[in-house]
Amino acid sequence: MTTTTSKITIEFDDKVVRQFMLASIIWGIVGMLAGVFIASQLNFHQLNVASWLTFGRLRPLHTNAVIFAFVGNMMFAGIYYSTQRLCKARMASDLLSKIHFWGWQLIIVSAAITLPLGLTRGQEYAELIWPINIAVALIWVVFAVNFFWTLAKRNEPSLYVALWFYISTIITIALLYIVNHLSIPTSLTHSYSVFAGVQNALVQWWYGHNAVAFFLTTPILGIMYYFLPKAVERPVYSYRLSIVHFWSLVFIYIWAGPHHLLNTALPKWLQMLGMFFSLMLWAPSWGGMLNGLLTLRGAWDKLRTDPVVKFFIAAVTFYGMSTFEGPLLSIRAVNSLSHYSDWTIGHVHSGAMGWNGFMAAGMFYWLTPRLYGTKLHSQSWANFHFWLGLIGILVYVGSMWVSGIMQGLMLNATTPDGTALVYPNFIDTLTSIRAMMGFRIIGGSLYLVGMILMALNIWITIRKGKAVNETREVAVIERHQRDTMGLKETFLNDPIACMFAGLILVLAWLFLPPGADIAALICAGIFAVLAVKRFQKSHHRWSNWYESLLNNWMPFTVLTFVAVALGGLIQIIPTVMVNRAQNVEDRIQQVYTPLELAGRDIYVSEGCYNCHSQMIRTMLPDVLRYGDYSRLGESIYDHPFQWGSKRTGPDLAREGGKYPHSWHYDHMKDPRLISVGSNMPPYPHLFDEKYDQKTLWSKIGVLTKLGVPYPAMTETEVKTKAVEQGIQIAKELEAQGRPGALPDTKIVALISYLQKLGKYDVPQVEDKTKGTPLAIPFPLKPGIPDGYRTSAVTK
């Protein structure tokens, strides 16, 4: 008996692809222009010409524009184009595609308005205020519904590898974004994160690191697996390698976030966990790189003549370089040199400019002739763009490597006896890297010129052509040919059983006490051998199960979610218990007064965390330079945490009481009066603008709900306390020769906050032998305690 297969002609929705592509080009130029401008501000402080044009406010605009506007729009263009072809179906809903496009552009415009105005959450890559975050979540749901709906109505039974990466991106970004942005509003434009201190730090970098993984990496890998074979007209080098690449990357990447917090107050077991999984990332990352490069086998001649192939191969090479450097920087010894320095900046930009930027350019040059039914205006312009961009990246990244290593060596240098710093003045390091910061401007400018040249080339091509939507005749497949796998078949099988058993043994090795952990490790090794033997014995059954899985998008999505969710839960849940006052036996942060809280919000609003850290690491040079190392309990009430990731200026964790009010007053008015050679911008608007007294009571109410032990206060009492402290600071400023400071101005509030930094209480514990409370003896003055290289909380 024969069956007839009906065929239909479909017209792909390429309009939304064109829209996202053009938006990506426009926002990419805007974001990179902002990047060149803020790089120039670091060398020429005079460019900080207004409160909304300072480095601290524009740096988040630059990062969000490049990540969410440039790469985000490029990612959506690639996904919409390739998904329709891989599913042999038009996107399920034109309306959802339109809502997605226009909603995403509205979000970007909202970010571009609010961030320069100082409306921010104060967390890297997560600065957007809560109404915009809700919009992001809603638009992401629109995108997800449209994507999975298209998978459900596809006319191709099997899911191609690119779709695997798209699925992991959609579900993981949803999980990361929602958890990290959980907050309670205090007004229409302000909220406090539900997480604080070390827990906030861990959740933030669980999100921050994996935003890089699942927004800037996995969807672009999916685009690589689709567009690179198309460009070189060769199949992917190894299907098996792509399977290993995908599942190992998805499972391992989610665990690596703690490597952003090495040598800090983060519990040591989490630091080691992050480092361990970061090092493991070398294998899958390079597997993917080799799979991409070897796809070019037999077509290397195209590398000389085709600019699209040039961009793709250079991008994959930069992916390999970045994913080699990332694990390298996660080694604690290397991280002690690189962290808080420009080396990290160079690492990030090699990925963003080399991997994401070049993949975008190659994809745009490949797409434009097909979307507009004509030839690219100028191949020579595209080639010139490639060399401009490549030279720009190398100049930029090379200067940041030199600058970062120089910074790290100078700031960590101690005398032979280890009792003093070789370069005690922080400004010495800043002076030493001025030339490298100049080369950064040159490199970024070259890359920006290349982007503008691409925009002109594509614009002229569009003018010559006409928008066309591809039509294709496809065979309609029946429901029984796909999506028939049930839960039992999905989970009750050898591959899943072996994975979970192996994971339990590895976790036992990580968490069990000494002795038992070695036994667990031995058991894990024995189990691995047995699992390999079982696979060799019944590998056909394993292969058949996976091929069946690829015909079922729902089970595949569920397994992907389980793989990424496990790592986050295992990292975050223990810190919920650790980050409580009753569990901290060292130091407890003093609660901010109403005025100090207002000052802290000003500090966050001005973006001071972009240049200053508040975390003295458990390292001798940090202790000698800034004072006693930071403890877990000293940021326990900080919503959000302010540990920072870059030191363009010194650490401020022990700034309180270090200088008189007048020092901070003069420093904010003109930093060069205090520190000759400083590149910090002045903040004259703080001396005239009033801090927000109206929302102080609601802010304290929210923080109280989140566990900050404020006493019960009425709204009048809150305002009275703030005013009284402001009057006291104004009087002290007048006594120090700075008359005229008004008690309700932002500068007074900011001074009160800066003077509070580093203040803590020593908790009381009960002497169980006598029933009397005892103060825990810890040094109250900055010093170098015995065992300063150990973490504040260890396994």
Side-chain angles (χ1 to χ4, degrees):
M1 179 178 178
T2 60
T3 59
T4 59
T5 302
S6 62
K7 292 187 177 182
I8 60 171
T9 300
I10 60 173
E11 178 182 340
F12 296 127
D13 180 13
D14 288 335
K15 179 180 179 181
V16 71
V17 179
R18 287 188 287 269
Q19 289 175 322
F20 274 117
M21 183 184 75
L22 295 177
S24 176
I25 295 171
I26 294 169
W27 288 118
I29 291 173
V30 171
M32 292 170 197
L33 181 62
V36 171
F37 183 72
I38 63 173
S40 302
Q41 286 179 316
L42 291 175
N43 247 359
F44 307 101
H45 64 84
Q46 298 88 347
L47 292 175
N48 294 274
V49 294
S51 62
W52 54 277
L53 285 176
T54 57
F55 177 88
R57 293 194 187 184
L58 289 183
R59 196 254 180 180
L61 176 64
H62 162 62
T63 56
N64 279 270
V66 170
I67 295 172
F68 299 108
F70 170 54
V71 180
N73 279 302
M74 168 263 187
M75 172 187 79
F76 295 134
I79 290 176
Y80 274 107
Y81 185 88
S82 59
T83 298
Q84 295 182 85
R85 274 84 182 163
L86 292 172
C87 291
K88 296 181 181 178
R90 185 183 176 94
M91 293 304 297
S93 171
D94 290 357
L95 176 61
L96 292 181
S97 298
K98 292 175 183 177
I99 293 173
H100 179 200
F101 174 76
W102 291 110
W104 196 257
Q105 308 319 307
L106 183 61
I107 288 167
I108 295 168
V109 172
S110 301
I113 294 172
T114 55
L115 290 173
L117 293 177
L119 301 176
T120 174
R121 295 178 70 247
Q123 296 181 214
E124 284 192 82
Y125 316 131
E127 292 94 348
L128 303 184
I129 56 177
W130 69 267
I132 302 178
N133 287 326
I134 292 176
V136 171
L138 291 175
I139 294 300
W140 195 261
V141 169
V142 168
F143 169 48
V145 169
N146 203 8
F147 177 83
F148 287 116
W149 189 1
T150 305
L151 292 189
K153 63 189 287 288
R154 71 190 185 279
N155 292 306
E156 171 60 46
S158 184
L159 300 175
Y160 177 67
V161 58
L163 296 173
W164 311 349
F165 285 95
Y166 301 159
I167 289 170
S168 69
T169 295
I170 292 171
I171 62 173
T172 309
I173 289 297
L175 174 67
L176 293 168
Y177 203 91
I178 291 171
V179 173
N180 188 60
H181 289 80
L182 291 174
S183 55
I184 300 179
T186 63
S187 68
L188 185 62
T189 58
H190 183 269
S191 64
Y192 285 123
S193 170
V194 299
F195 305 109
V198 66
Q199 187 184 356
N200 190 199
L202 183 63
V203 173
Q204 162 62 21
W205 285 114
W206 172 69
Y207 160 81
H209 176 79
N210 291 298
V212 172
F214 290 93
F215 200 91
L216 303 180
T217 303
T218 54
I220 315 304
L221 285 170
I223 287 170
M224 178 198 79
Y225 274 113
Y226 179 83
F227 286 96
L228 180 57
K230 290 284 187 181
V232 301
E233 299 176 325
R234 293 289 190 279
V236 170
Y237 171 69
S238 172
Y239 178 69
R240 287 187 177 182
L241 187 55
S242 67
I243 296 173
V244 175
H245 179 207
F246 173 77
W247 287 106
S248 55
L249 195 73
V250 165
F251 179 73
I252 295 173
Y253 230 131
I254 205 77
W255 298 74
H259 76 225
H260 290 266
L261 302 167
L262 298 179
N263 301 299
T264 67
L266 185 74
K268 190 173 181 180
W269 70 269
L270 276 170
Q271 296 185 38
M272 302 308 293
L273 186 74
M275 184 177 76
F276 174 72
F277 279 96
S278 297
L279 293 173
M280 289 177 65
L281 275 173
W282 261 325
S285 298
W286 273 54
M289 178 196 69
L290 292 173
N291 212 9
L293 292 178
L294 293 175
T295 297
L296 206 63
R297 69 200 185 285
W300 286 100
D301 58 298
K302 291 179 179 287
L303 192 59
R304 292 183 288 108
T305 58
D306 190 343
V308 170
V309 178
K310 281 189 177 75
F311 276 107
F312 280 159
I313 294 304
V316 174
T317 304
F318 273 106
Y319 170 68
M321 290 172 56
S322 296
T323 52
F324 175 84
E325 188 179 29
L328 175 68
L329 295 179
S330 71
I331 300 172
R332 290 187 83 199
V334 179
N335 190 270
S336 65
L337 175 72
S338 67
H339 196 51
Y340 293 129
S341 79
D342 283 336
W343 189 348
T344 305
I345 305 299
H347 166 63
V348 169
H349 282 77
S350 69
M353 298 162 71
W355 165 234
N356 297 134
F358 271 20
M359 279 299 298
M363 188 183 80
F364 295 158
Y365 283 129
W366 189 89
L367 277 176
T368 301
R370 289 162 176 80
L371 293 176
Y372 292 93
T374 186
K375 290 184 177 180
L376 185 68
H377 167 68
S378 174
Q379 292 269 356
S380 59
W381 283 20
N383 280 310
F384 187 46
H385 171 203
F386 172 79
W387 291 111
L388 270 178
L390 182 62
I391 294 170
I393 295 171
L394 295 178
V395 170
Y396 188 106
V397 174
S399 64
M400 291 298 93
W401 283 344
V402 173
S403 172
I405 293 171
M406 187 183 300
Q407 277 179 304
L409 291 174
M410 291 182 70
L411 291 172
N412 290 349
T414 60
T415 55
D417 59 3
T419 59
L421 296 166
V422 176
Y423 303 99
N425 193 349
F426 188 94
I427 209 74
D428 291 341
T429 63
L430 189 62
T431 304
S432 300
I433 63 174
R434 288 279 188 187
M436 293 301 102
M437 289 196 292
F439 278 112
R440 168 162 62 180
I441 300 171
I442 295 171
S445 298
L446 287 173
Y447 196 89
L448 174 61
V449 170
M451 284 289 296
I452 295 172
L453 185 62
M454 178 186 72
L456 291 173
N457 200 357
I458 288 177
W459 175 248
I460 295 173
T461 303
I462 292 172
R463 294 288 299 273
K464 287 167 53 180
K466 182 180 179 181
V468 293
N469 293 341
E470 181 187 348
T471 59
R472 184 180 298 182
E473 187 178 64
V474 300
V476 178
I477 65 171
E478 301 298 329
R479 171 71 179 174
H480 69 270
Q481 294 177 274
R482 53 173 168 78
D483 303 328
T484 58
M485 181 182 280
L487 289 176
K488 182 178 179 181
E489 188 182 353
T490 302
F491 290 99
L492 298 181
N493 53 72
D494 283 352
I496 300 299
C498 289
M499 184 198 75
F500 276 102
L503 178 62
I504 290 170
L505 289 172
V506 170
L507 292 176
W509 168 56
L510 289 170
F511 293 110
L512 288 178
D517 60 345
I518 300 299
L521 182 61
I522 294 172
C523 291
I526 296 172
F527 176 80
V529 173
L530 294 175
V532 170
K533 287 186 176 181
R534 189 170 183 85
F535 169 74
Q536 291 174 338
K537 190 175 181 179
S538 57
H539 66 276
H540 292 297
R541 190 167 59 188
W542 290 45
S543 298
N544 292 336
W545 171 81
Y546 192 72
E547 290 301 322
S548 178
L549 180 67
L550 293 183
N551 288 340
N552 296 267
W553 69 268
M554 179 65 80
F556 187 95
T557 302
V558 171
L559 287 177
T560 304
F561 176 79
V562 171
V564 299
L566 281 173
L569 291 174
I570 291 167
Q571 293 174 68
I572 294 169
I573 290 176
T575 64
V576 175
M577 302 304 299
V578 170
N579 197 47
R580 295 179 179 177
Q582 61 266 35
N583 295 330
V584 178
E585 298 179 347
D586 189 338
R587 300 173 181 177
I588 300 294
Q589 177 185 13
Q590 290 184 1
V591 176
Y592 298 115
T593 65
L595 184 65
E596 292 160 359
L597 181 62
R600 188 174 197 273
D601 288 339
I602 294 166
Y603 177 95
V604 171
S605 174
E606 296 298 336
C608 301
Y609 59 89
N610 289 294
C611 294
H612 295 280
S613 61
Q614 291 184 27
M615 171 52 60
I616 303 172
R617 294 174 294 175
T618 54
M619 295 165 48
L620 176 61
D622 265 33
V623 172
L624 288 173
R625 186 176 300 277
Y626 304 116
D628 200 4
Y629 68 92
S630 298
R631 309 298 208 277
L632 183 148
E634 291 183 280
S635 57
I636 199 169
Y637 301 132
D638 278 351
H639 297 263
F641 83 115
Q642 292 291 284
W643 293 7
S645 63
K646 177 70 173 70
R647 287 176 181 165
T648 305
D651 186 273
L652 302 179
R654 308 237 176 267
E655 190 71 8
K658 191 175 181 180
Y659 304 108
H661 297 335
S662 57
W663 188 95
H664 294 290
Y665 187 90
D666 292 342
H667 190 231
M668 300 306 294
K669 180 171 286 188
D670 185 357
R672 278 143 296 280
L673 292 175
I674 303 298
S675 302
V676 177
S678 171
N679 61 354
M680 176 178 161
Y683 291 88
H685 60 282
L686 298 181
F687 294 79
D688 301 319
E689 295 176 2
K690 312 294 185 184
Y691 68 85
D692 184 10
Q693 293 186 23
K694 295 180 180 178
T695 59
L696 268 180
W697 187 60
S698 64
K699 289 178 178 179
I700 289 176
V702 167
L703 290 175
T704 303
K705 291 178 182 177
L706 292 172
V708 180
Y710 278 105
M713 291 184 287
T714 64
E715 185 173 0
T716 302
E717 288 174 327
V718 168
K719 290 182 179 180
T720 301
K721 287 178 180 291
V723 170
E724 288 176 349
Q725 187 177 3
I727 292 172
Q728 181 63 33
I729 292 174
K731 288 181 179 178
E732 292 173 5
L733 282 169
E734 185 173 5
Q736 295 167 13
R738 306 297 185 276
L742 300 177
D744 58 349
T745 52
K746 288 185 176 180
I747 185 62
V748 171
L750 182 60
I751 288 173
S752 72
Y753 168 65
L754 293 173
Q755 295 290 27
K756 186 60 169 279
L757 292 176
K759 301 297 177 63
Y760 59 86
D761 294 320
V762 178
Q764 300 286 314
V765 296
E766 183 178 334
D767 184 347
K768 295 184 179 180
T769 60
K770 300 180 180 179
T772 56
L774 295 174
I776 300 177
F778 282 97
L780 299 182
K781 295 182 179 180
I784 310 171
D786 292 336
Y788 61 84
R789 288 194 177 275
T790 62
S791 179
V793 178
T794 57
K795 179 179 174 181

